[in-house]
Amino acid sequence: MATARPVVSIYNFENPSEKTGTMPMPVVLQSPLRPDLVREVHRDMAKNKRQAYAVKPKAGYDTAAESWCTGRAVARIPRAPGGGTHRAGQAAFGNQARGGGMFNPTTIWRRWHRRVNVTKKRHAVACALAASALPPLVMARGHKINQVAELPLVVSDGIQSLTKTKQAKEALKKLGCGEELQKVIDSKSIRAGQGKARNRRYVKRLGPLVIYNEDNGITRAMRNIPGVECAHVDRLNLLRLAPGGSFGRFVIFTEGAFKKLSDIYGTLKSGAPKKKGYTLPRAAMANADLARIINSTEVQSVLRPKMERYTHGIKRNALKSKELMEELNPGSTERRAVHLKSSQKGTPEYDEVQKKKKARIEESKKYNKEHKKGDETFYKTLMKAFEAKAAADAAKKAAEKADDEEDEE
Amino acid sequence: MAERYAISKVNVPEGAAVPELVKMKMEKEEKLAEEKKQALAAKQKAREEERAKLKERTVAYEKEYADTAAELVKLRREAKLNGNFFVEPEAKLIFVVRIAGIMKMSPKPRKVLQLLRLKQLHNGVFLKVNKPILNMLKLVQPYVTYGYPSLKTVRELIYKRGFGKVSKQRIPLSSNDIISDALGKHGIHGMEDIIHEIYTVGPNFKQVSNFLWPFKLSSPKGGFVNKRHGYCEARGGDWGNREELINELLGRMN
């Protein structure tokens, strides 16, 4: 986003409708937005204020229980020794036993805290600050900023010297935070869950975060206003800037604090003067407008044109579809029509076929006359063989008869 | 390629101010649309020429088939007339169908079936008859049935179940363009060219047969006799060479 930095108006804390001056926006507030980073860092940072909990070290094991082993018609679980009391012989030690220890007892040496890289933490804060300068993000987080003149909201330094809560409340209301403060008051309700019995009885929404440079009473003035938190610009806390891991807290800067942001964070080129070795995060893409990049001449000029996809449709059977057959086999319909016509009487095709048939029959007759006459035909040669056999049989019979007659005589 | 440009229409509401980028896009699309129109016209012209040529070739093929058949008849008659024997020409083309499933297949026949592209039950391929192929078939005899397909069978298989291998995909032969693009360099531009090349086992048989994806046939209507036994056994069976009688089976499987 290498554009000229926008200019932010500074509002008079007593009379917010008038502006006492302007200031260019610090580069921090133009950091790239990384909700994933903020969420991750918040998650880990929030673990650092935890207090350990665990069951007693000896819980469930403070008996001299021993298993009775087999052979006594009872389960093999360890049992409390002795006699004369109900406790004797009762099961002990196991998580299934009454009065036994729990499965996998909670321990105090659980890793409660997480360390986060310093640069990561700093990047997250820069990101959260940047988000607080964007109305859509602040509104999305749930803050009521419709009456607020400008975001980021910068107020003249006089507000740092307020001592009375009443005055502070007036000032905030005049700046347009009335709806926001009312939202906080309305949201006070009893906590759901056991927390209510553990000194965390009430929950309410968060209101604006006032970031100051010099505390001349402002912390004490703002302290009792429900929802309002104060922070010194040198010590910004991600857990305040992005409560719950969601960035876009409604932030009110004082003039001094706003100016100091540039001193603390510097620019991308100069690095951060007050944070050793740290430079503000850079965006992964200089120009994140994908549509513009894709449609630019530089890209479009080297693209090949978009092509239609090959569609093959449903496979049809050419043997059934005449159109498809014509498509695949040009002239087939024509030939088929001719073929069909040749069986219709009266058409020239029919006559043609009949002519050919006649010629074929003629040819056949001629062939037969030539080759299937006289004694050389198949039939005649076959019968000749039979006749020969018949003659031989007859001769044999005659010979037998002659013999018989001779014998008789 | 220009025929396939995807031209997107930009809807501009009446009297609206058109952004710079949209204007540029519209100009570009116009130019592409022009190119596309010209390419389509050229393609149409080429297509008509190609179809006319294909028509001529088809008529020539039909004549060729009829002539070869008539020639055989003539030679048979002549032989009988002279009291000679006519030695029928050996088959040049066989169609092989895989009969056996994929379970419990020994490695050697399994490999041969893979090489023949018979990877699934009832898959069929056209093969040229030569010594190496016949030796391969010997190895897989009990798992396939094969024979000499007639022209009618070849036509019906290719028209009904013809799919081509286009960039490793199984694409239906729904248009002669597909064939032309794949086999144009071998002079084969249409269905009838494929059928002719297959049936007459021409010089480009290998390329054409390989272009054709293995035919996926149905199980035969009316059933097999007995897949566990050979066709030529007295008790009846199905595997092995059934010569001309493959046509009857394929008529039921196609």
Side-chain angles (χ1 to χ4, degrees):
Chain A
M1 284 305 229
T3 45
R5 280 193 283 150
V7 146
V8 181
S9 317
I10 305 169
Y11 293 88
N12 186 354
F13 84 99
E14 277 164 337
N15 189 7
S17 49
E18 84 182 43
K19 307 186 193 167
T20 59
T22 56
M23 214 191 294
M25 191 185 281
V27 185
V28 208
L29 298 185
Q30 291 176 330
S31 306
L33 299 172
R34 292 280 310 276
D36 58 310
L37 179 66
V38 170
R39 198 181 309 129
E40 194 190 319
V41 174
H42 174 91
R43 176 166 47 96
D44 289 341
M45 277 176 78
K47 289 181 182 168
N48 292 339
K49 202 176 165 220
R50 297 198 285 181
Q51 289 184 344
Y53 64 85
V55 290
K56 286 205 319 244
K58 283 208 76 123
Y61 289 85
D62 211 350
T63 35
E66 245 191 276
S67 170
W68 285 359
C69 297
T70 49
R72 293 177 67 171
V74 290
R76 294 179 279 174
I77 192 169
R79 294 175 183 278
T85 170
H86 282 192
R87 183 67 178 140
Q90 280 181 345
F93 287 176
N95 58 323
Q96 72 269 39
R98 177 175 181 276
M102 63 179 279
F103 162 73
N104 199 9
T106 50
T107 54
I108 53 164
W109 58 85
R110 178 194 303 221
R111 192 166 67 106
W112 300 102
H113 310 100
R114 297 288 183 274
R115 50 176 305 280
V116 189
N117 297 340
V118 172
T119 318
K120 235 183 186 173
K121 285 194 279 198
R122 286 170 173 170
H123 280 346
V125 168
C127 184
L129 280 172
S132 72
L134 295 168
L137 292 177
V138 178
M139 285 174 79
R141 222 197 139 266
H143 296 287
K144 307 290 182 209
I145 50 170
N146 287 321
Q147 305 301 321
V148 174
E150 188 180 334
L151 220 55
L153 185 58
V154 185
V155 184
S156 57
D157 276 337
I159 204 172
Q160 288 170 163
S161 316
L162 287 178
T163 48
K164 302 293 281 181
T165 305
K166 195 164 176 174
Q167 290 169 2
K169 212 163 173 186
E170 281 294 306
L172 286 177
K173 282 220 181 98
K174 280 202 226 149
L175 286 165
C177 308
E179 210 186 329
E180 177 77 356
L181 295 176
Q182 191 57 44
K183 158 198 117 182
V184 174
I185 293 168
D186 291 339
S187 69
K188 181 171 174 189
S189 62
I190 295 180
R191 186 186 291 264
Q194 286 288 33
K196 69 164 99 50
R198 296 182 179 174
N199 307 326
R200 290 171 250 135
R201 191 154 182 90
Y202 294 102
V203 276
K204 57 179 189 287
R205 300 292 86 77
L206 287 177
L209 175 69
V210 180
I211 299 183
Y212 60 88
N213 187 22
E214 233 182 270
D215 182 8
N216 292 327
I218 183 172
T219 355
R220 283 206 254 176
M222 300 272 185
R223 190 157 75 174
N224 205 24
I225 309 175
V228 178
E229 288 173 336
C230 290
H232 192 287
V233 75
D234 285 343
R235 301 181 284 276
L236 290 173
N237 187 354
L238 183 70
L239 301 174
R240 301 274 169 274
L241 285 171
S246 37
F247 57 23
R249 181 92 189 257
F250 176 30
V251 171
I252 301 171
F253 292 95
T254 62
E255 189 183 339
F258 204 65
K259 201 179 291 169
K260 211 169 185 197
L261 279 178
S262 329
D263 296 333
I264 298 171
Y265 285 100
T267 62
L268 285 169
K269 257 211 305 209
S270 71
K274 293 278 170 61
K275 298 185 189 289
K276 194 166 91 163
Y278 175 68
T279 322
L280 285 169
R282 275 169 228 278
M285 285 175 84
N287 177 15
D289 191 346
L290 264 187
R292 209 192 153 103
I293 292 173
I294 289 172
N295 288 322
S296 67
T297 29
E298 291 95 328
V299 171
Q300 290 291 319
S301 61
V302 263
L303 289 178
R304 62 159 173 76
K306 190 168 171 186
M307 303 288 235
E308 287 170 351
R309 308 181 84 208
Y310 276 121
T311 47
H312 297 287
I314 298 176
K315 167 153 172 83
R316 287 143 58 221
N317 184 0
L319 299 168
K320 291 212 178 135
S321 161
K322 294 200 188 75
E323 304 169 344
L324 184 59
M325 186 49 112
E326 181 60 34
E327 162 77 27
L328 290 172
N329 188 357
S332 63
T333 344
E334 208 179 298
R335 289 192 291 271
R336 193 177 156 66
V338 165
H339 182 75
L340 285 174
K341 262 216 185 137
S342 65
S343 42
Q344 286 172 15
K345 280 213 180 118
T347 53
E349 289 85 5
Y350 181 78
D351 294 335
E352 186 70 35
V353 169
Q354 294 308 315
K355 200 161 66 172
K356 282 204 189 126
K357 181 175 177 187
K358 216 173 181 182
R360 191 164 32 91
I361 293 172
E362 287 293 321
E363 189 66 40
S364 174
K365 283 200 178 134
K366 205 170 78 177
Y367 179 85
N368 288 346
K369 249 195 188 79
E370 243 184 274
H371 300 110
K372 295 189 178 177
K373 278 192 77 177
D375 288 342
E376 298 293 302
T377 61
F378 178 73
Y379 179 73
K380 291 265 169 65
T381 36
L382 184 75
M383 292 322 290
K384 257 195 216 140
F386 271 117
E387 277 167 24
K389 191 164 192 297
D393 281 344
K396 205 173 170 199
K397 248 206 176 121
E400 276 177 19
K401 205 168 175 193
D403 284 336
D404 286 342
E405 276 177 5
E406 269 187 36
D407 288 338
E408 259 181 49
E409 282 171 5
Chain B
M1 204 180 64
E3 319 89 63
R4 276 179 54 229
Y5 286 169
I7 312 287
S8 54
K9 300 234 106 213
V10 189
N11 272 329
V12 183
E14 282 286 320
V18 183
E20 182 74 39
L21 288 176
V22 176
K23 247 194 230 142
M24 279 163 46
K25 191 173 172 79
M26 277 164 67
E27 280 171 26
K28 197 155 69 88
E29 297 287 341
E30 255 178 63
K31 197 151 66 89
L32 289 178
E34 187 56 45
E35 275 180 46
K36 183 176 179 179
K37 199 162 82 155
Q38 287 174 358
L40 278 175
K43 184 168 179 235
Q44 181 67 8
K45 192 152 157 289
R47 179 190 142 92
E48 278 165 21
E49 283 174 24
E50 196 55 56
R51 278 175 77 77
K53 280 195 237 156
L54 184 58
K55 193 164 160 185
E56 283 173 27
R57 284 202 301 275
T58 313
V59 170
Y61 294 151
E62 303 214 331
K63 185 166 182 307
E64 186 188 326
Y65 302 141
D67 285 348
T68 41
E71 180 71 19
L72 282 175
V73 167
K74 190 167 100 153
L75 288 171
R76 283 188 205 113
R77 284 180 181 164
E78 198 184 304
K80 191 146 74 144
L81 193 63
N82 297 330
N84 291 330
F85 295 105
F86 176 64
V87 179
E88 296 286 335
E90 283 171 17
K92 290 189 286 183
L93 174 71
I94 35 177
F95 189 77
V96 191
V97 183
R98 180 172 175 152
I99 297 288
I102 55 172
M103 297 297 293
K104 301 189 181 179
M105 184 63 80
S106 346
K108 208 168 195 161
R110 191 170 66 205
K111 180 65 174 176
V112 174
L113 287 170
Q114 278 175 20
L115 293 172
L116 295 173
R117 296 191 297 158
L118 299 168
K119 290 193 172 185
Q120 195 182 31
L121 187 63
H122 304 326
N123 270 9
V125 291
F126 284 108
L127 293 174
K128 198 190 307 194
V129 171
N130 51 30
K131 196 84 171 82
I133 290 286
L134 287 177
N135 284 343
M136 286 170 92
L137 287 174
K138 235 185 271 180
L139 284 169
V140 294
Q141 281 241 308
Y143 310 113
V144 298
T145 181
Y146 58 97
Y148 317 133
S150 63
L151 176 62
K152 174 171 187 273
T153 309
V154 172
R155 288 190 85 240
E156 290 192 345
L157 279 171
I158 292 178
Y159 274 116
K160 184 171 180 189
R161 298 208 188 236
F163 284 72
K165 183 168 59 167
V166 175
S167 39
K168 298 194 193 171
Q169 291 181 331
R170 180 172 181 259
I171 304 291
L173 298 176
S174 50
S175 154
N176 286 331
D177 294 333
I178 299 166
I179 301 168
S180 209
D181 288 337
L183 298 169
K185 60 176 173 288
H186 303 296
I188 291 154
H189 298 278
M191 290 293 256
E192 287 297 321
D193 288 330
I194 286 187
I195 292 166
H196 177 256
E197 194 68 23
I198 296 277
Y199 182 64
T200 56
V201 188
N204 296 307
F205 178 88
K206 181 191 161 77
Q207 283 78 13
V208 175
S209 175
N210 192 272
F211 165 73
L212 288 171
W213 200 276
F215 294 86
K216 291 174 183 274
L217 302 168
S218 312
S219 27
K221 186 157 158 233
F224 287 107
V225 172
N226 191 334
K227 288 207 271 183
R228 289 183 181 222
H229 293 271
Y231 191 80
C232 304
E233 291 180 36
R235 62 176 347 272
D238 282 302
W239 55 251
N241 190 357
R242 59 171 78 192
E243 304 198 349
E244 258 73 35
L245 300 165
I246 193 75
N247 294 303
E248 183 271 329
L249 179 65
L250 290 175
R252 289 187 290 126
M253 287 180 87
N254 192 9

